[in-house]
Amino acid sequence: MTLWISGATGFLGRNFLNHLVRHYPDYAITCLVRDPVKASQQWPEIPRNVHWLAGDLLAPETYRDSLRQAERVFHLAALVGLRNGPEFYQQNTEATRCLTDTLHMSDRLERLVYVSSISAIDRPWESPATHLLNEQSLPQPHTDYGKSKLQAEQIIQSSGLPHTILIPAYIYGPHARPNSSLDRLIRDMVSGKSYTRFPFPGEVSEIYVEDLAQALWLAAFHPNTLNQRFLIANPQPVGVDKAYQLLASALGVSWRNQGQHAARLGRYQSRWYQAQPDSLMLRILFERYFACSSHSWYQATGQVPRYGLEEGIQRTVGWYAQQGLLVR
């Protein structure tokens, strides 16, 4: 079996590659990277079945020959962020177009697995987020990031290539990017920033990165996932306040939320919304903005995530501690 991965040096890619190396050591794995030397430094003891290929998704001539030999392709590379800018369309939309155009030259491809984002769905501004998102929810992304990911989905769906699209909820775990939302939250929790004690009433759906890695593998092989798109998350959304409490416990941080009365909390919410009516972060913290159902995935594959939030957070904090990244 020949596997091909874009984005192997990113947060999800590093965890997925570790998963493959641990469970499938006999498969030939090609990873498209911009800097093979840097990639080798990240994995000084990478197995011989993993090959770093220097290239750029926007330059198909750098990877065309290797891609045509792959049977399973995992497209994980992306420019990520809840913000705007033309670079998102270049790195997410156009890069996907180049990849699918190149794959049309292959006669070996059995499945293309693409990782999209829950930001490619989003919700309307004019109504509160009360229900769970699902695969039938009308996509209406607000950021260029989300729009570019939705366009990439549409390119793949119209390509005629055998594919599966995964739309993960909030992903967390080891190898988080420096200054990512998880990275900042952990540092702010350790340093005692007041917002980490605030009783935000929002709910979010989450998935531990190792469970997502397993879902990627299922998506590449399971017959029920062919030419489908799925939201991937733990079965039940979790309260933001509860997530903060679990993180504080794992970090060994003394934690007690600020216990605002419901009426006072509502006034805070109204005041903040008036000041920042287009703030995605406020909607995430106060509503069910990124809460979703993964029932379709369970029906198709039977996969139940192995790691609940409490254990996933403990494993994540353990990795931070091992790396010496918890500075008090």
Side-chain angles (χ1 to χ4, degrees):
M1 181 68 65
T2 303
L3 313 177
W4 198 96
I5 306 173
S6 73
T9 58
F11 167 46
L12 174 57
R14 292 188 67 174
N15 283 280
F16 182 53
L17 185 56
N18 285 338
H19 178 85
L20 294 179
V21 167
R22 187 165 59 249
H23 295 286
Y24 309 101
D26 297 329
Y27 290 175
I29 305 171
T30 296
C31 300
L32 182 71
V33 296
R34 293 183 176 178
D35 187 345
V37 174
K38 184 177 179 180
S40 298
Q41 291 171 347
Q42 291 181 347
W43 284 279
E45 300 179 0
I46 200 70
R48 295 179 62 183
N49 65 315
V50 175
H51 170 63
W52 304 122
L53 174 66
D56 187 326
L57 283 170
L58 292 166
E61 66 275 8
T62 63
Y63 60 84
R64 182 181 294 117
D65 291 342
S66 71
L67 187 62
R68 292 176 65 179
Q69 302 303 311
E71 295 164 278
R72 298 298 198 283
V73 174
F74 300 88
H75 181 23
L76 314 183
L79 180 63
V80 179
L82 297 179
R83 59 187 192 276
N84 296 308
E87 62 274 15
F88 288 102
Y89 298 99
Q90 190 76 359
Q91 298 298 322
N92 296 337
T93 306
E94 291 309 314
T96 300
R97 192 186 312 278
C98 288
L99 180 72
T100 55
D101 286 349
T102 305
L103 279 171
H104 278 296
M105 304 176 188
S106 172
D107 57 3
R108 299 191 63 184
L109 179 69
E110 296 184 23
R111 191 80 61 95
L112 165 63
V113 179
Y114 175 61
V115 176
S116 185
S117 168
I118 198 169
S119 294
I121 302 178
D122 269 352
R123 298 175 186 265
W125 287 122
E126 60 272 11
S127 59
T130 56
H131 63 280
L132 297 182
L133 293 172
N134 58 42
E135 290 81 3
Q136 284 70 50
S137 297
L138 177 67
Q140 41 202 332
H142 299 293
T143 64
D144 286 337
Y145 167 62
K147 292 173 184 177
S148 69
K149 296 293 281 186
L150 177 61
Q151 289 177 1
E153 283 190 38
Q154 293 167 341
I155 288 170
I156 291 171
Q157 289 172 315
S158 63
S159 69
L161 299 169
H163 67 269
T164 304
I165 296 172
L166 299 187
I167 308 170
Y170 181 76
I171 313 168
Y172 71 102
H175 303 292
R177 301 184 314 278
N179 207 37
S180 65
S181 60
L182 174 62
D183 192 64
R184 294 195 303 271
L185 176 58
I186 287 177
R187 295 178 190 281
D188 288 350
M189 183 75 72
V190 171
S191 62
K193 292 289 181 68
S194 60
Y195 83 88
T196 66
R197 271 71 169 173
F198 194 85
F200 291 108
E203 291 185 353
V204 296
S205 293
E206 41 72 34
I207 186 75
Y208 185 63
V209 70
E210 177 67 20
D211 284 323
L212 181 54
Q214 178 62 31
L216 280 167
W217 188 252
L218 282 172
F221 289 91
H222 203 294
N224 292 345
T225 67
L226 180 62
N227 297 334
Q228 303 293 319
R229 63 195 285 268
F230 298 94
L231 281 156
I232 305 293
N234 265 301
Q236 297 297 325
V238 63
V240 174
D241 189 35
K242 178 65 173 178
Y244 283 6
Q245 182 181 355
L246 291 173
L247 180 58
S249 176
L251 289 166
V253 173
S254 177
W255 186 90
R256 183 177 180 183
N257 73 30
Q258 297 177 357
Q260 304 292 337
H261 186 273
R264 188 178 182 186
L265 188 61
R267 289 195 294 272
Y268 275 128
Q269 180 174 345
S270 176
R271 187 183 310 161
W272 283 339
Y273 278 6
Q274 290 174 4
Q276 303 180 65
D278 295 339
S279 171
L280 280 174
M281 187 53 64
L282 284 179
R283 296 200 69 179
I284 293 168
L285 293 174
F286 280 96
E287 300 179 23
R288 307 180 86 190
Y289 195 82
F290 278 164
C292 66
S293 168
S294 58
H295 184 64
S296 294
W297 176 254
Y298 172 75
Q299 279 191 316
T301 67
Q303 184 197 17
V304 176
R306 177 179 177 183
Y307 298 102
L309 184 62
E310 183 172 4
E311 185 178 358
I313 285 177
Q314 290 173 347
R315 291 170 64 88
T316 302
V317 169
W319 178 83
Y320 267 81
Q322 291 173 0
Q323 303 303 309
L325 298 175
L326 297 179
V327 179
R328 297 182 185 275

